[in-house]
């Protein structure tokens, strides 16, 4: 059986294709249609050729799709990814490259329409969030290739920043079903929020994040420590929970959030609930104390933080606030509706 690769890219000029993926060398002989694929050579591909066995072994994959943010880098790049997948025995490969994370959902939907049995997502938390939004409820597993700055979802799932190992986990790792949250109708995998946190993310521009990584969030945060609190009303599962001045509201599906901060100590992505946090810190001293407690894994001990857990949360602000999902800033709003969606996404994990 021959190795076939189907490539689908967003429509555009032919010369817009990235230069990192040159065409096959015309000097090389063509492979006959009924020829067997070459045996993988020693290296990353060979190490992936045999699936794991045991109770957690994944079923053999059929059609594999790659949805890649082409501006993100990881390991040896997209060329290494393609070689590794082919070397691992993937015979039916769909390939989509997008210039921005907001283009990822369309590519994911195309992959699902073409019968993808597994979707590799190459990018940062923004690409992962938008891909998860499109994959939610489909039952098709998502394999994360952490090519971003913070890679919060991959870190929380135990996925390493090692390309061959991340591919092996995608092909043969344990399939874990996790919850997602929705904020005003859009899914998130890690966290969502409004106020101080979202302002910080909005202003930590791409260039700064690329150069400084997580430090970009800290430096940008210094501009926002004088942010004003506004009256905030929060209802959790139909009951009034908070009514007062607050600088931000956070919703967590996992424990570690923006900047690597362990904000929600007991959060689990498969418990059918979301963590809800309200911060009342308003100045440099308050925020220094608050972030210090968070960094030490003692968020609940901060006098400026209230934390609970719920399934449906409604928030009203007296003044519009910027909100975000998984590190991607959105617009301003004065109302939030947040819900948990149990067992919404299947993720390829170690184990």
């Amino acid at each position: 059986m021959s190795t076939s690769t189907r490539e689908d890219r967003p429509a555009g000029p032919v010369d817009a294709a990235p230069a990192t993926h040159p065409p096959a060398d015309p000097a090389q002989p063509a492979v006959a249609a009924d020829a067997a694929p070459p045996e993988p050579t020693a290296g990353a591909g060979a190490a992936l050729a045999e699936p794991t066995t045991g109770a957690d072994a994944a079923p053999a994959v059929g059609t594999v799709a790659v949805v890649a943010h082409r501006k993100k880098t990881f390991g040896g790049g997209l060329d290494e990814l393609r070689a590794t997948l082919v070397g691992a025995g993937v015979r039916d490969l769909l390939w989509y490259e997008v210039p921005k994370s907001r283009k990822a959902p369309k590519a994911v939907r195309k992959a699902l329409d073409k019968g993808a049995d597994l979707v590799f997502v190459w990018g940062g938390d923004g690409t992962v969030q938008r891909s998860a939004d499109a994959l939610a409820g489909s039952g098709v597993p998502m394999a994360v290739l952490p090519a971003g700055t913070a890679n919060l979802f991959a870190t929380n799932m135990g996925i390493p920043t090692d390309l061959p190992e991340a591919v092996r986990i995608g092909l043969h790792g344990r399939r874990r079903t996790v919850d997602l949250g929705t904020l005003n109708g859009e899914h998130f995998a890690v966290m969502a929020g409004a106020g101080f946190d979202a302002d910080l993310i909005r202003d930590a521009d791409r260039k700064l994040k690329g150069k400084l990584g997580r430090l970009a969030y800290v430096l940008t945060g210094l501009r926002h420590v004088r942010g004003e609190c506004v009256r905030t009303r929060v209802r959790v599962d139909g009951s009034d929970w908070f009514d007062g001045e607050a600088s931000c509201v956070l919703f967590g599906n996992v424990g570690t959030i923006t900047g690597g901060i362990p904000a929600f100590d007991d959060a689990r992505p498969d418990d059918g609930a979301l963590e809800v946090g309200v911060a009342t810190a308003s100045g440099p001293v308050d925020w220094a104390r608050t972030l210090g407690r968070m960094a030490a894994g003692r968020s609940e001990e901060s006098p400026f933080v209230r934390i609970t857990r719920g399934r449906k949360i409604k928030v009203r602000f007296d003044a519009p606030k910027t909100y975000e999902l998984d590190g991607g800033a959105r617009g301003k709003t004065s109302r939030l509706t947040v819900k948990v969606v149990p067992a919404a996404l299947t993720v390829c994990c170690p184990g």
Side-chain angles (χ1 to χ4, degrees):
M1 183 176 182
S2 63
T3 301
S4 63
T5 302
R6 290 184 282 157
E7 298 205 14
D8 293 278
R9 291 192 176 92
V14 173
D15 61 1
T20 53
H21 308 289
D25 186 347
Q28 296 297 322
V31 179
D34 57 352
E39 292 295 324
T41 57
L48 298 170
E50 294 297 326
T52 57
T53 58
D56 289 333
V61 296
T63 300
V64 174
V66 171
V67 175
H69 190 316
R70 69 166 66 107
K71 296 180 182 178
K72 301 294 184 178
T73 58
F74 181 36
L78 290 171
D79 286 338
E80 182 186 358
L81 173 60
R82 184 191 297 273
T84 302
L85 289 170
V86 172
V90 173
R91 298 173 182 272
D92 198 1
L93 181 60
L94 299 166
W95 194 274
Y96 305 88
E97 295 181 17
V98 297
K100 298 178 180 180
S101 62
R102 62 185 177 86
K103 301 287 187 180
K106 184 177 180 180
V108 171
R109 287 190 289 269
K110 283 184 177 180
L112 294 178
D113 288 344
K114 290 181 179 292
D117 300 297
L118 170 65
V119 177
F120 279 91
V121 177
W122 169 291
D125 287 308
T127 307
V128 170
Q129 179 268 320
R130 292 183 185 273
S131 298
D133 188 44
L135 282 166
S138 70
V140 175
M142 178 175 73
V144 179
L145 300 171
T149 301
N151 302 311
L152 293 174
F153 185 71
T155 299
N156 278 281
M157 293 294 105
I159 300 166
T161 53
D162 175 84
L163 181 53
E165 179 61 12
V167 171
R168 188 197 67 78
I169 290 169
L171 293 175
H172 309 304
R174 178 169 60 99
R175 271 43 175 168
R176 181 181 181 184
T177 303
V178 300
D179 308 331
L180 294 175
T182 63
L183 191 159
N184 291 357
E186 186 176 0
H187 292 88
F188 62 91
V190 176
M191 60 165 288
F196 176 95
D197 177 75
D199 289 335
L200 182 155
I201 289 168
R202 179 195 62 199
D203 288 352
D205 61 53
R206 291 183 178 85
K207 290 183 179 179
L208 189 62
K209 285 196 292 184
K211 292 178 181 178
L212 302 178
R214 292 178 179 176
L215 181 59
Y217 293 113
V218 177
L219 295 178
T220 306
L222 296 178
R223 307 176 199 164
H224 294 282
V225 293
R226 302 183 196 280
E228 293 183 0
C229 293
V230 302
R231 185 182 178 189
T232 302
R233 283 159 282 191
V234 183
R235 288 177 60 84
V236 178
D237 294 334
S239 300
D240 293 336
W241 175 68
F242 180 89
D243 187 345
E245 299 291 307
S247 49
C248 75
V249 181
L250 297 178
F251 312 98
N253 192 39
V254 296
T256 301
I257 63 166
T258 300
I261 298 170
F264 299 113
D265 308 334
D266 300 320
R268 288 181 54 85
D270 55 5
D271 60 2
L274 296 172
E275 303 294 309
V276 185
V278 171
T280 58
S282 60
V285 175
D286 289 357
W287 272 109
R289 293 174 62 187
T290 301
L291 293 174
R293 295 286 176 89
M294 285 182 169
R298 303 196 309 272
S299 300
E300 75 284 353
E301 296 179 13
S302 171
F304 304 107
V305 174
R306 284 189 60 185
I307 294 176
T308 191
R309 186 176 295 180
R311 295 178 175 84
K312 182 176 180 180
I313 306 98
K314 291 190 175 183
V315 182
R316 291 170 57 192
F317 303 112
D318 273 9
K321 283 183 171 287
T322 304
Y323 74 97
E324 61 88 15
L325 299 94
D326 288 352
R330 301 297 191 262
K332 287 191 173 185
T333 185
S334 58
R335 293 176 182 265
L336 303 174
T337 298
V338 181
K339 300 177 183 179
V340 68
V341 186
L345 182 68
T346 303
V347 183
C348 304
C349 296

